[in-house]
């Protein structure tokens, strides 16, 4: 068990902290590679990273590799993850467009697209992987299942994921049913992983991930096998975990 836990008052405070972790990697690696997530959780992190850029942090030598993309949405679609990345980060910094990778969900050949993405992951080993988590424990779009798939693949999104992500679309019907996602092996190969979770709706799954059994039905629990994972929470996201004070003390988890 190697999770280091930090509980912040607000997602905003957490975002500033995670941006400073990213800055450390960016400043200390010759060719830094960040693995990036989309969704609501990392928004405060991107805001802080953009702020750091505005304050002088150079990102021109940084490579970014995103976890996932909806199948069937072109890069221009307002709900595509590429569009999210462009609005929240790419267009606001000096990241080079030739070094920002997002799976192409509109590819006519998804098998080839998955292979292309694995080749990118092979060429650019990830130094720092940013993760959010689904309420069902998914990371990237590696959904609960009997088997966790190692490499980049096309996944059928689970009903709870479609329902949860409907908040970004006009209606649930519009949420794509499939996505391309980086596989579990690629995530675990990152040198350092930062898992962020905010809000009461993430509190129970975070407790299960951090102190529960490792199971393919909770994909994020496999992070227990990684040697360097930070779990970054706000007070609401930490509620259930922090009830386990005996367990946490016994395992020397660092809180706050
Ligand atoms: C998105 C991704 C997903 C999200 C997760 C949580 O790139 O990889 O695993 O991190 O679905 O989404 P939010 O942050 O919107 O609650």
């Amino acid at each position: 068990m190697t999770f280091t836990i930090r509980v912040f008052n607000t997602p905003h405070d957490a975002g500033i902290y995670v941006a400073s972790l990213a800055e450390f990697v960016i400043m200390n690696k010759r060719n830094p590679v960040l693995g990036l997530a989309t969704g609501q959780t990392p928004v405060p992190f991107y805001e802080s990273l953009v702020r750091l850029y505005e304050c002088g942090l150079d990102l021109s030598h940084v490579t970014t590799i995103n976890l996932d993309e909806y199948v069937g949405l072109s890069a221009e679609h307002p709900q595509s993850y590429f569009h999210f990345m462009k609005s929240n980060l790419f267009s606001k910094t000096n990241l080079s467009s030739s070094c920002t990778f997002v799976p192409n969900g509109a590819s006519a050949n998804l098998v080839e697209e998955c292979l292309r993405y694995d080749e990118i992951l092979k060429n650019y080993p990830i130094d720092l992987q940013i993760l959010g988590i689904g309420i069902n424990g998914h990371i990237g779009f590696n959904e609960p299942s009997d088997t966790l798939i190692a490499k980049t693949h096309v996944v059928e999104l689970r009903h709870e994921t479609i329902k949860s992500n409907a908040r970004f679309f006009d209606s649930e019907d519009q949420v794509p049913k499939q996505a391309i996602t980086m596989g579990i092996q690629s995530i675990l190969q990152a040198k350092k992983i930062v898992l962020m979770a905010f809000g009461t709706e993430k509190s129970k799954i975070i407790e299960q991930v951090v102190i529960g059994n490792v199971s393919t039905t909770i994909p994020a629990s496999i992070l227990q096998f990684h040697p360097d994972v930070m779990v970054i929470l706000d007070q609401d996201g930490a509620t259930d975990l922090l009830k386990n004070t005996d367990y946490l003390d016994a395992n020397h988890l660092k809180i706050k």
Side-chain angles (χ1 to χ4, degrees):
M1 170 66 72
T2 53
F3 290 143
T4 299
I5 296 167
R6 295 283 181 268
V7 183
F8 292 86
N9 280 335
T10 63
H12 174 75
D13 290 352
I16 293 171
Y17 177 71
V18 176
S20 71
L21 294 177
E23 169 162 10
F24 184 82
V25 171
I26 292 164
M27 297 293 287
N28 288 290
K29 297 270 173 178
R30 185 188 287 270
N31 298 303
V33 182
L34 302 181
L36 298 179
T38 56
Q40 196 173 325
T41 309
V43 169
F45 159 63
Y46 293 131
E47 285 168 356
S48 294
L49 195 56
V50 168
R51 193 79 195 102
L52 282 177
Y53 163 71
E54 289 166 352
C55 294
L57 178 66
D58 178 25
L59 299 176
S60 61
H61 62 306
V62 177
T63 296
T64 67
I65 308 183
N66 266 78
L67 283 162
D68 41 20
E69 178 60 283
Y70 288 118
V71 166
L73 299 195
S74 68
E76 294 75 37
H77 190 287
Q79 301 310 335
S80 76
Y81 284 167
F82 181 85
H83 190 270
F84 172 98
M85 292 308 302
K86 195 171 159 196
S87 349
N88 284 282
L89 186 69
F90 299 163
S91 67
K92 295 181 171 170
T93 62
N94 68 341
L95 279 163
S96 154
S97 59
S98 60
C99 296
T100 50
F101 299 105
V102 181
N104 176 8
S107 167
N109 188 333
L110 294 171
V111 174
E112 265 179 27
E113 176 58 13
C114 291
L115 293 172
R116 182 189 77 91
Y117 217 64
D118 282 336
E119 204 52 33
I120 293 167
L121 286 160
K122 200 169 90 188
N123 293 335
Y124 300 97
I126 294 173
D127 295 303
L128 177 66
Q129 176 67 55
I130 305 294
L131 294 177
I133 183 170
I135 43 171
N136 63 7
H138 72 219
I139 45 176
F141 273 135
N142 293 275
E143 296 277 42
S145 168
D146 292 341
T147 319
L148 295 178
I149 298 176
K151 302 283 187 191
T152 304
H153 58 285
V154 174
V155 60
E156 302 290 325
L157 296 177
R158 302 260 302 211
H159 179 62
E160 61 270 20
T161 299
I162 291 171
K163 214 170 139 200
S164 170
N165 288 6
R167 69 202 136 118
F168 300 113
F169 292 79
D170 289 338
S171 73
E172 201 176 303
D173 295 351
Q174 292 179 12
V175 184
K177 307 289 176 282
Q178 292 183 314
I180 300 185
T181 183
M182 201 189 275
I184 286 289
Q185 187 186 71
S186 308
I187 293 174
L188 289 178
Q189 275 169 349
K191 291 189 192 80
K192 182 179 184 72
I193 296 177
V194 171
L195 173 67
M196 289 190 280
F198 307 133
T200 43
E201 67 278 14
K202 300 285 173 71
S203 173
K204 199 74 215 163
I205 194 72
I206 282 295
E207 180 190 28
Q208 289 173 295
V209 165
V210 175
I211 66 167
N213 292 327
V214 175
S215 161
T216 60
T217 58
I218 302 181
S221 65
I222 203 161
L223 297 175
Q224 290 185 21
F225 293 138
H226 191 281
D228 187 358
V229 179
M230 296 198 81
V231 181
I232 307 293
L233 307 170
D234 68 348
Q235 298 285 351
D236 288 341
T239 313
D240 285 297
L241 181 62
L242 295 186
K243 286 178 189 154
N244 302 276
T245 44
D246 292 351
Y247 184 93
L248 293 172
D249 287 350
N251 286 278
H252 307 293
L253 286 177
K254 295 167 230 163
I255 310 236
K256 282 209 173 181

